[in-house]
Every structure is written in C-alpha cells, then in structure tokens.
Amino acid sequence: MTIDGTARRADARRNVESILEAATALLATDPAVSVNEIARAAGVGRVTLYGHFPSRAALVEAVSRRVIASTDQALDAVDLDGDAREAMARLLAATWQLTYRFGAIVVAASDALTPEEMRRVHEEPARRMRALVERGRDEGVFRRDMPLSWQLTTVQAVLHGASAAVHRGDVPADDATRLVTDTVLAALAVTSSG
Amino acid sequence: MTIDGTARRADARRNVESILEAATALLATDPAVSVNEIARAAGVGRVTLYGHFPSRAALVEAVSRRVIASTDQALDAVDLDGDAREAMARLLAATWQLTYRFGAIVVAASDALTPEEMRRVHEEPARRMRALVERGRDEGVFRRDMPLSWQLTTVQAVLHGASAAVHRGDVPADDATRLVTDTVLAALAVTSSG
C-alpha cells in the first residue's frame, strides 16, 4: 500500500461522507432535488459523485439506508425508564425529530427499500411507543378508558398533523416538539373520569 | 293536468329520492360502486336511473350537492351556546358523523364541484370549530398556552385519524364519537400549567 493510495482512499471516504450528508439535508426538504444540486452542496464535481453513486436512485437508496440506521440509533438512545410521562416526552421528541427530518426521504425511497427495511422503519418506533403506553396504563398514569390502539392512533395523528402544519408554515418547527408533547400527554393523562 | 300526469310525477319524485338515497349510502363506503348496483339498491331499472341522471358523473354530482346541503343543515342544527366543552362535544359528534359518512363522497365528487362549493365543504365546519375554540379560550375552559391554529390542527388530525382507524377496522364505528370527543376535550382542557 503506497502513501498515495492511502491518501486517495481517505479522500474518497471524505467525499462519500460529504455527498451523503448533503443529500440527506436536501432530500429532507425537497425530495425532487437534482444530483447537480447535491454535488454542489457537497463541494464535489458531478463526475466524482457518479464515481461513488452510479445513479440518482442509488444515492437516494444509500441515503435512506443511512437514515434508517441513524433512526434506530436515535431511538436506542432514548431513555424509556422512569416516570412514563417523562419517558413519553423523550420518546415523542425523538420520534418527532425523525418524522419531521426524515419522513420525506423514506417516502421518496420506499420503492428502493426491501419489505424488511420498510417494516423496521414503521414498526420499530411503533413498537416502542406501544410498550411505553402500555406501561403508563399499567402504572395508572395514562388513562385506561380508551383502547390502547386508539391511543396509538392519536399519537400518530398528532405527529403527522404537526409535520403537515410545519411544512405548510402554520407552526414554527422550533415549537413543534413542545406542542406535540403537551398535546399527546394531555390526551393520554388520567382524568377524574378515567 | 291529468290525474295520470300527477301520478307519474309523484312516481318520478319517489324514484329520484330512492336513487339519491341508495347512491349516497353506497358511495360513502365504495366510491367506485357501479350504476347497476345503485339502481338495484334503489329498486329501479337502469333505464329509469339514466332517465333521471344521464351519466354516473351527473349522479355523483347530485349526490354530493345533496350531501353538502345536509351537512350545512346538520351543522346549523348544532347548539353552540352554553358551556364551551359541552358545545364542543356536540359539534365534534356532528362533524365526526359528517366526516365519516360523507368524506369519501366529497373526495369522489371534487372534480364536479365548483371552487365555491369545495370552499363551503371545508371552511364551514372549520369556521364553526375555530369560533368555538376561541370562545372556550376566552372563557378560560380551553388552554391558551398553545396557538389556536395548533389546536385546530389537532382537532382535524384526530378526526382524520379516527376515520382511517374505523375504515381499517381498528376502532368500531359506534365507539368513535366517544373516543374523538374525549380525546379532543382532553387535549383542549386547561391544565394546572395551562
């Protein structure tokens, strides 16, 4: 292995990383963004980009795989122990960030992903949410006069409503975590009748 | 006017009414239902149906106009006075029935409706909801630590989530009014911090 070869490989790794970062940021807000715009934002030429990713579809696929891996990591990092309401606030904040930042990318890439990958994208967050709502119900801090499945429907509906409202410009993105969290916790909370 | 002519006109009115009733019921659950199925459910022949409605599109248009008129009537009949929480429960029950029963028809007919009609369909329920949430905030029974526009987004999100959950079979239609109402009232209620 020559010094030249090592330097070239380090360069290539940096370029791939820059391309993936730029593509992730741009695809999240504009799923139709062009390869030229991605190359420009990454600070590489078109030829370099196509040297690493032979087609736009291959790049979108690589971006979505990376997003899925970082989603799993982000959810794994959420502390789900302790008071169920506080754990729910942490899980909602993480889930909201992922929904808002990466939702469009996963939709754009859905043709390229395997059924197993699509299942992971949708079911992993849902599985954690279900387990936490169940624990809150068992511990008496979340209401039990509604079916668990309805409560999960409500959480999903509020997350998607928030994403649409932010993209429409009705709600500032910085306020969304607090609004989603306060609204879901209020909907789940035990009431005098619950 | 002969006695025969009067009887024929009464017959025609009854047939039109039967056709519109059958079409409304069938289109609400299956927007692709055929003219033959509608004629059969109405107890009239194909020729009679086409005598009154020259095309499927004309029938769908007539059904959606009728649905819009009955939506206006149903919303006008809701008592919006008194305690804002109780008024909200009544408005949500009426809006839920309309969303669930007629949502698919209005979507199916959206090409045939004028912009003014589409505006009425969407804005009339939204206008009443906005006025009521505003009153509840002013009177101190709904929380004010969230923007009004976010609270309206939440109401819409829960209504649409419920409609999807009922159509998926996750929630029995008979339970939906109570679940929607309890969830929205909990999300709007003043809390110790609100």
Side-chain angles (χ1 to χ4, degrees), chain A:
Chain A
M1 188 188 293
T2 65
I3 290 174
D4 250 28
T6 309
R8 264 204 305 278
R9 273 190 294 279
D11 256 12
R13 269 200 306 275
R14 268 196 302 276
N15 282 342
V16 167
E17 190 55 31
S18 302
I19 294 164
L20 287 172
E21 295 245 322
T24 303
L26 293 175
L27 284 166
T29 52
D30 177 12
V33 66
S34 73
V35 168
N36 281 352
E37 289 170 274
I38 292 170
R40 199 175 315 128
V44 305
R46 264 175 71 89
V47 173
T48 303
L49 188 150
Y50 279 114
H52 295 294
F53 302 98
S55 67
R56 186 177 187 284
L59 176 55
V60 170
E61 193 178 331
V63 166
S64 64
R65 293 241 151 74
R66 192 161 169 269
V67 160
I68 292 170
S70 77
T71 297
D72 284 353
Q73 270 184 357
L75 290 175
D76 280 341
V78 176
D79 174 9
L80 294 175
D81 295 334
D83 184 279
R85 287 160 295 203
E86 291 167 21
M88 177 59 73
R90 291 189 293 268
L91 183 57
L92 282 171
T95 306
W96 161 252
Q97 287 298 329
L98 299 168
T99 302
Y100 172 59
R101 284 171 61 205
F102 298 143
I105 294 178
V106 173
V107 171
S110 56
D111 288 344
L113 298 174
T114 66
E116 166 61 18
E117 285 169 323
M118 286 304 284
R119 195 195 60 71
R120 261 172 67 200
V121 171
H122 288 108
E123 290 186 11
E124 271 305 295
R127 190 183 59 73
R128 285 161 216 249
M129 194 61 77
R130 169 180 289 270
L132 182 54
V133 176
E134 244 168 0
R135 179 163 77 80
R137 289 165 63 106
D138 289 346
E139 292 175 1
V141 295
F142 294 154
R143 60 197 293 176
R144 298 170 66 156
D145 61 345
M146 296 177 169
L148 175 63
S149 68
W150 168 254
Q151 290 170 315
L152 297 172
T153 293
T154 300
V155 174
Q156 283 308 314
V158 172
L159 282 165
H160 288 152
S163 191
V166 171
H167 287 295
R168 272 199 314 271
D170 279 359
V171 168
D174 289 348
D175 295 349
T177 304
R178 176 183 74 83
L179 294 172
V180 165
T181 306
D182 286 1
T183 301
V184 168
L185 285 178
L188 292 177
V190 167
T191 60
S192 48
S193 70

Side-chain angles (χ1 to χ4, degrees), chain B residues 3 13 80 92:
Chain B
I3 289 173
R13 271 199 305 276
L80 295 175
L92 282 170

